[in-house]
Amino acid sequence: MDDVPNFETVKIERDGGTTFLILNRPEKKNAMSPQMHIDMCAALDWAEDDEATKVVVLTGAGGNFCAGQDLKLFFRATEDDPKARRRSRRAAHEWRWNKLVAFPKATIAMVPGYCFGGGFTPVIACDFAIAAEDATFGLSEVNWGIIPGGLVAWAVTQVMNYRDALYYSVTGEKFSGATAAQMKFVNKAVPNDRLREETMVLARALEAKSPAAVRYTKEAIRTVRGMSKEQALDFLDCKNDALIAADPERGRGKALSQFLDDKSFKPGHGSFERTT
Ligand code: COA
């Protein structure tokens, strides 16, 4: 597709309003090199500004999601080069957490095959995650003498319960996509041959929603987690007012009129009729 940028280690594909950002080092099971971190920062910046992109799906090429940080290029090659190490770490953190959690459009991690170590962080940072039932997840750091660093240990505690987080981090035991869905590490697991189809069902549903409502809802859910009840109440009132004032579609007004006056839609059954 010629209207999407080219990157050395990230492939971009469009499917309607959904844009796939694909970690693209299949010969290395999509292990993350410093270049991949730089490319993903740029790819997310591009997707954020791209008008046609309503939803981002993050996945990997060649039947795997990601084998974690590249042990050779991310770790060993920068061992004696503190500046390069710092740059790589900063870029790694920037896209896998900062950019993804603050991304203004819906994001879905679509996980086939292997997902190890540092590959957990972007799965957790995405709004939604759908895995193949036979995907293989593993916090393998302990197996080679390190801890799940680069925020992985913190990130897993955001979505796993304490027992599971400790168990899988300390034992390094692998778990399947089906198990990941049972523990709600991912939203659901589906047969591998239906992974893309099922992901697109969710993506299309998200594409149809008001972009402003999706964005503000994401921001609200993320932010209230660190707040007291009183703070949340005040923040959410202000956030709603800000959404109503800033929404270029004037979605709330349209929806109220379609429900109350035209009686043409019911919010309990789906989204209001969008005209822009
Ligand atoms: N870093 C660097 N290279 C990696 C890698 C990683 N994290 N994961 C895989 N690769 C490379 C392999 O070294 C191999 O390279 P080669 O063809 O030059 O020998 C290539 O990718 C294919 O991987 P291979 O190990 O042959 O495939 P496999 O199917 O037998 O095993 C894994 C796949 C993912 C189980 C295995 O490669 C592995 O354990 N990788 C490390 C996973 C990990 O601990 N990641 C956490 C890092 S924080």
Side-chain angles (χ1 to χ4, degrees):
M1 188 84 60
D2 48 5
D3 73 327
V4 300
N6 288 314
F7 295 105
E8 195 180 317
T9 64
V10 176
K11 196 164 49 164
I12 301 184
E13 285 175 10
R14 289 191 194 279
D15 187 336
T18 293
T19 298
F20 281 71
L21 302 185
I22 305 167
L23 306 177
N24 192 27
R25 297 181 71 222
E27 72 290 354
K28 299 290 181 190
K29 314 285 182 198
N30 306 318
M32 296 176 288
S33 61
Q35 185 61 46
M36 184 181 279
H37 295 309
I38 291 165
D39 289 349
M40 271 306 302
C41 284
L44 281 168
D45 285 347
W46 170 82
E48 178 171 336
D49 289 345
D50 179 56
E51 294 278 325
T53 299
K54 310 293 180 206
V55 176
V56 161
V57 173
L58 175 68
T59 191
N64 293 292
F65 184 76
C66 173
Q69 297 287 13
D70 188 303
L71 274 65
K72 185 175 173 191
L73 299 176
F74 186 85
F75 288 109
R76 189 192 270 171
T78 61
E79 241 161 37
D80 301 321
D81 187 345
K83 282 187 188 159
R85 187 95 198 260
R86 205 164 45 243
R87 270 197 306 274
S88 298
R89 277 181 168 171
R90 197 183 303 129
H93 178 62
E94 193 58 23
W95 83 264
R96 287 180 311 152
W97 194 261
N98 291 346
K99 285 185 188 291
L100 272 176
V101 291
F103 200 73
K105 304 169 186 180
T107 54
I108 308 171
M110 181 177 97
V111 185
Y114 291 126
C115 177
F116 282 106
F120 275 50
T121 307
V123 173
I124 297 164
C126 281
D127 305 321
F128 311 97
I130 301 182
E133 285 167 353
D134 62 359
T136 303
F137 290 89
L139 291 163
S140 50
E141 288 88 342
V142 72
N143 292 340
W144 62 282
I146 66 166
I147 62 169
L151 211 61
V152 175
W154 180 85
V156 293
T157 62
Q158 303 299 300
V159 288
M160 281 183 181
N161 71 44
Y162 177 69
R163 285 261 175 253
D164 287 332
L166 262 179
Y167 184 86
Y168 289 108
S169 304
V170 175
T171 64
E173 190 177 301
K174 293 175 285 183
F175 56 95
S176 67
T179 302
Q182 273 161 20
M183 63 169 87
K184 283 293 169 198
F185 179 76
V186 298
N187 294 96
K188 62 175 167 175
V190 298
N192 193 24
D193 60 1
R194 295 213 338 261
L195 181 59
R196 183 171 172 129
E197 191 186 324
E198 294 281 343
T199 303
M200 286 312 300
V201 170
L202 174 60
R204 293 281 185 252
L206 293 164
E207 278 181 35
K209 305 254 180 251
S210 150
V214 166
R215 173 183 176 172
Y216 277 64
T217 304
K218 284 177 53 164
E219 290 170 356
I221 293 287
R222 183 177 75 241
T223 310
V224 291
R225 292 208 298 172
M227 287 183 172
S228 70
K229 178 164 73 347
E230 289 74 17
Q231 288 168 330
L233 193 59
D234 192 40
F235 164 78
L236 291 170
D237 280 346
C238 296
K239 189 83 182 163
N240 237 339
D241 290 346
L243 165 60
I244 293 163
D247 180 5
E249 289 187 351
R250 299 279 175 260
R252 180 180 181 271
K254 275 185 200 153
L256 285 183
S257 153
Q258 288 172 21
F259 180 63
L260 298 173
D261 306 327
D262 309 343
K263 298 196 177 296
S264 59
F265 115 104
K266 295 185 193 278
H269 294 325
S271 187
F272 68 96
E273 182 70 28
R274 293 174 52 225
T275 46
T276 50

